[in-house]
Amino acid sequence: MSDTPSITDEQRTRLVTAMQVARIYFQNNLKDPAAQAYVQKRGLSKKDIFNFQIGYAPDAWDGLVKHYSHVSMKDAAHEAGLLKQRETKGSFDIFRGRLIFPIKNLDGDVVGFGGRQLEAQEGSPKYLNTSETPLFKKGELLYGLFENQREIATSREAVIVEGYLDVIAMHGAGVRTGLAPMGTALTPQQLKKITDLGVERVVFCFDGDAAGQRAAARTLETVMQHHVAGHGDGLEFRFLLLPDDHDPDSFIRQFGVDQFTTLKGGAQGLVEFIHKTCTRGLMWPRFMGKDGAPSLEDQAAYLANLRAFTDQAGPLLYAQLLIQAWRFAPTARPESTVITLPPPAELRELPFDRYEKYVELKHAQQAPGADRELLEVRIQSILTNSQAAPTWDLNTALAARWVIHDSQLQGAIAQKLAGIAVKTLGIPELVTIAKTILEKGTPTGALYEYAAAHGPLSPTEIKELRANWDSWMRRAIIQQGAEALHANPDSQNARQTIKAALGY
């Protein structure tokens, strides 16, 4: 809960109006020679200035004070964090001698400002933001969210950078998914605001210096808090550290947007970034055991570092981290040594050796055109049964829905399905359903539950199933023969079965 007081509609209107007056004042002063020289130095185009309504606060103590002609607006400006009362009589401007970046909420209202020094001054911060007010809560706002919200929602991607000028440079180069926190580490509230737009992929882009690495570490903490809150699984998080001495602004201007986009596409995934974080400070890979594996000391240190992440991870990330740990520390039984809290409830009864299948199916759900409902049934099957997950073919699932829901032809369909002899592609479960129907019983099992939940086939699906029937049976026969050949490489019968199905 925020410590800032609640705000009434009337108060909000007054504060927003005071902000708009200040925005106009700052924009009108951008013609100042000092501001123009800085704008040219930073390569800001007229379009950049227009899109982000960039302005300038003259280096004067009372320029904005004098700009407010009404006492009520001047009072609102005090409340909005634009002016401050002198110890003696009168007020003074908070922003002086700075390039000004209006900060907007999702509705486009200016709720605060960020000001950047034109020249470094001892004892004065490079960036100065509006202080916390009833209107401006920096832990809940992101620079560029209003300007880029449409492209972010369309692309389902957001790129989190460190500075206002980074957002502007990306926008000007056509990458209109950039966002920046208010000069601090990303907060859980800001991350939730991003994901509320329907974002599926978040790329964190940091400057290539020590400060950027520290910012990446703080952001990783926020991401893990997001997992603790139950929001992490299903989101793709990636981390990009730019080359030394570069931020997105300087990198794009020197190397171009195409190279920046290429780097962004190769950003490290969350599992890889956590792995890199957990290996920091180890002797590996300079020193390894005789078998080429990390030393036992490094394996132990790695697993100790990993506990901070497994204790916070949702089911998918938890499984991925343990698989990664097993690869790095194969002799240390990571499934038992990294656990200080019980696994996520979804994985509690799942044997460690089934984690890779769980991860495989979870990733398959994210593929374009994936049958997510069918995959979820398969996931639930391996969570409740340590045996292999059902390998239903799409046609198997269609046939199950057909026989269950077509009351007019059900008997004929069940008779046809009950006679199928092959034992692959989930067909045995389908045959059991058909035989149960012929025996006037009530079918059970995962395939039945899936088919019952998804309703009858459309005419197009019936047509598709009939057209694919022969190829479906052929694939089932080939797979059954391949499995038999794997079990007995000398089986001539299996070889002949495969050849016949292939038409040889």
Side-chain angles (χ1 to χ4, degrees):
M1 182 178 292
S2 174
D3 293 331
T4 55
S6 59
I7 183 171
T8 65
D9 290 342
E10 181 182 357
Q11 185 184 19
R12 178 181 294 279
T13 299
R14 286 175 55 250
L15 297 182
V16 168
T17 303
M19 285 291 184
Q20 291 286 38
V21 172
R23 177 186 62 77
I24 295 169
Y25 167 77
F26 293 138
Q27 284 187 273
N28 286 340
N29 280 288
L30 190 62
K31 60 182 179 291
D32 184 288
Q36 284 298 307
Y38 185 80
V39 163
Q40 291 176 20
K41 174 184 173 183
R42 297 306 300 251
L44 293 169
S45 68
K46 290 182 178 179
K47 197 168 184 179
D48 293 333
I49 291 167
F50 175 81
N51 286 333
F52 289 88
Q53 298 184 325
I54 299 169
Y56 175 66
D59 195 7
W61 285 93
D62 58 359
L64 185 57
V65 172
K66 293 177 179 177
H67 190 68
Y68 287 106
S69 55
H70 296 287
V71 174
S72 62
M73 274 294 97
K74 195 173 292 186
D75 290 342
H78 275 277
E79 197 175 350
L82 294 167
L83 306 178
K84 194 169 184 179
Q85 195 73 36
R86 293 181 183 274
E87 291 183 5
T88 57
K89 185 178 179 182
S91 306
F92 64 90
D93 297 359
I94 295 294
F95 295 101
R96 303 182 304 279
R98 293 175 180 270
L99 200 69
I100 298 296
F101 305 92
I103 300 164
K104 301 178 181 180
N105 61 19
L106 270 173
D107 296 324
D109 295 328
V110 177
V111 295
F113 295 98
R116 194 202 190 283
Q117 287 179 336
L118 303 190
E119 300 291 342
Q121 297 178 23
E122 188 175 349
S124 181
K126 181 192 293 187
Y127 279 96
L128 180 66
N129 290 324
T130 299
S131 58
E132 292 278 317
T133 72
L135 198 63
F136 184 78
K137 302 175 183 179
K138 66 180 181 180
E140 300 175 9
L141 293 163
L142 287 152
Y143 184 73
L145 189 56
F146 170 72
E147 291 82 0
N148 290 334
Q149 61 179 304
R150 182 177 299 177
E151 186 64 28
I152 288 170
T154 300
S155 66
R156 298 189 180 277
E157 176 182 276
V159 182
I160 312 302
V161 294
E162 294 186 63
Y164 304 136
L165 288 167
D166 297 326
V167 172
I168 295 168
M170 290 167 60
H171 187 281
V175 183
R176 296 180 178 174
T177 54
L179 301 171
M182 304 291 108
T184 58
L186 189 77
T187 67
Q189 294 90 338
Q190 289 168 330
L191 185 52
K192 186 175 186 305
K193 185 155 290 195
I194 296 167
T195 57
D196 284 348
L197 289 176
V199 165
E200 296 175 351
R201 187 173 191 256
V202 183
V203 181
F204 301 104
C205 182
F206 300 100
D207 301 354
D209 54 18
Q213 292 183 19
R214 290 193 296 272
R218 292 195 302 270
T219 298
L220 181 55
E221 292 176 7
T222 299
V223 170
M224 296 313 300
Q225 289 177 43
H226 202 64
H227 271 273
V228 170
H231 305 306
D233 282 354
L235 279 172
E236 182 184 0
F237 293 107
R238 291 193 165 270
F239 291 77
L240 171 62
L241 287 173
L242 292 174
D244 289 347
D245 301 322
H246 275 295
D247 55 26
D249 177 26
S250 66
F251 187 91
I252 288 172
R253 297 191 191 287
Q254 182 171 343
F255 300 106
V257 68
D258 289 344
Q259 197 160 336
F260 176 77
T261 302
T262 299
L263 272 184
K264 181 170 69 71
Q268 289 183 328
L270 179 57
V271 175
E272 185 182 359
F273 190 72
I274 290 175
H275 172 70
K276 183 177 180 180
T277 300
C278 291
T279 59
R280 195 167 292 134
L282 303 186
M283 300 300 288
W284 176 87
R286 287 177 296 162
F287 297 99
M288 295 183 288
K290 293 180 180 179
D291 57 357
S295 68
L296 289 178
E297 291 85 355
D298 278 349
Q299 291 186 40
Y302 178 90
L303 294 173
N305 293 338
L306 192 65
R307 287 181 189 136
F309 302 101
T310 55
D311 287 351
Q312 298 179 84
L316 176 59
L317 178 60
Y318 181 94
Q320 290 172 304
L321 291 177
L322 257 65
I323 292 168
Q324 179 65 60
W326 175 75
R327 290 170 181 159
F328 184 83
T331 61
R333 289 190 58 79
E335 67 271 27
S336 59
T337 56
V338 303
I339 298 171
T340 56
L341 296 175
E346 188 169 346
L347 298 177
R348 205 149 295 169
E349 303 302 324
L350 184 64
F352 177 64
D353 61 8
R354 299 298 296 146
Y355 279 15
E356 290 203 70
K357 174 58 73 174
Y358 173 84
V359 170
E360 174 193 328
L361 294 176
K362 278 289 189 182
H363 280 313
Q365 282 184 312
Q366 299 168 15
D371 189 335
R372 289 167 177 78
E373 294 87 354
L374 176 57
L375 286 164
E376 186 58 35
V377 171
R378 294 181 64 188
I379 289 168
Q380 293 308 315
S381 173
I382 68 165
L383 292 176
T384 57
N385 181 359
S386 61
Q387 301 302 313
T391 52
W392 300 333
D393 184 87
L394 173 60
N395 294 290
T396 304
L398 290 175
R401 288 170 56 197
W402 194 23
V403 72
I404 287 170
H405 294 287
D406 193 333
S407 56
Q408 186 174 357
L409 298 175
Q410 189 175 63
I413 299 167
Q415 195 72 44
K416 183 178 180 67
L417 295 176
I420 300 176
V422 287
K423 307 293 185 183
T424 58
L425 303 184
I427 291 174
E429 195 173 354
L430 176 64
V431 170
T432 298
I433 291 173
K435 289 180 176 178
T436 302
I437 289 173
L438 290 174
E439 295 167 0
K440 308 301 182 184
T442 302
T444 59
L447 178 59
Y448 172 75
E449 295 296 334
Y450 167 81
H454 284 72
L457 298 185
S458 67
T460 300
E461 288 174 318
I462 293 175
K463 185 177 180 181
E464 178 183 339
L465 177 59
R466 284 173 166 159
N468 293 334
W469 191 281
D470 289 343
S471 62
W472 173 37
M473 290 295 104
R474 190 180 307 115
R475 278 187 291 108
I477 292 168
I478 291 170
Q479 181 168 323
Q480 181 170 289
E483 291 174 358
L485 198 60
H486 179 75
N488 180 11
D490 297 324
S491 173
Q492 292 302 315
N493 186 45
R495 293 176 188 274
Q496 290 301 321
T497 298
I498 295 172
K499 286 182 178 180
L502 290 172
Y504 294 153

